[in-house]
Amino acid sequence: MPTLKILVGTMYGGALDVAEQVKPLFEDAGYEVSVLENPTLADVTDDAPDLALFCVSTTGSGDFPGNFVSFVRELQDKSPGLGQLRYGLIALGDSSYGETFCGAGRRLDQLLEEQGATRLDDRLEIDAMETFMADDEALPWVEGWIARQNLKVA
């Protein structure tokens, strides 16, 4: 059974809620899914999944949530080369912050690209100013992502 890891960067639980809500969609598609609240670089290198989904909220002025900072530092410091990593990204933010809207998700996307990872489909950016419940946008996006990328294996 193929594996999917959902790596979560969250401050107040919104990104974790999205991860938990989309998990059954991937299980129904035939994946063994794990949700990682404190991800490490080893989660995508040493024990690499067949597919990864990042659910990352933005804090402050476009910053990563505290639980995700060590992952990003490892990624920057070790430059592991992630040519085998296929991923999707859900970025959560608040457009009232202007230019830093979804800043953490956008920066993560750039870092992963620099390491050779392959993003499947467009990044989903969810705006807290427009969407009260982030999973209202995330669930249909994931359903579409699974269909568009032919990710269903079961």
Side-chain angles (χ1 to χ4, degrees), residues 2 15 18 20 26-27 46 48 58 64 76 78 92 95 104 115 118 125 136 150:
V18 167
E20 294 291 350
F26 288 104
E27 289 170 336
D46 300 349
T58 298
F64 290 101
Q76 292 171 319
K78 295 183 179 175
L92 291 83
S95 62
Q115 292 300 318
T118 302
E125 295 185 350
D136 287 345
N150 294 313

Side-chain angles (χ1 to χ4, degrees), residues 20-85:
E20 294 291 350
Q21 294 294 319
V22 302
K23 180 181 177 186
L25 298 176
F26 288 104
E27 289 170 336
D28 291 346
Y31 289 82
E32 181 181 327
V33 182
S34 54
V35 176
L36 307 172
E37 293 180 58
N38 292 296
T40 65
L41 187 57
D43 291 322
V44 295
T45 56
D46 300 349
D47 186 23
D50 295 293
L51 189 61
L53 177 65
F54 293 89
C55 293
V56 181
S57 62
T58 298
T59 65
S61 299
D63 301 320
F64 290 101
N67 75 308
F68 208 75
V69 170
S70 62
F71 176 86
V72 172
R73 283 190 183 140
E74 279 187 288
L75 184 60
Q76 292 171 319
D77 293 346
K78 295 183 179 175
S79 293
L82 297 173
Q84 83 291 351
L85 184 66

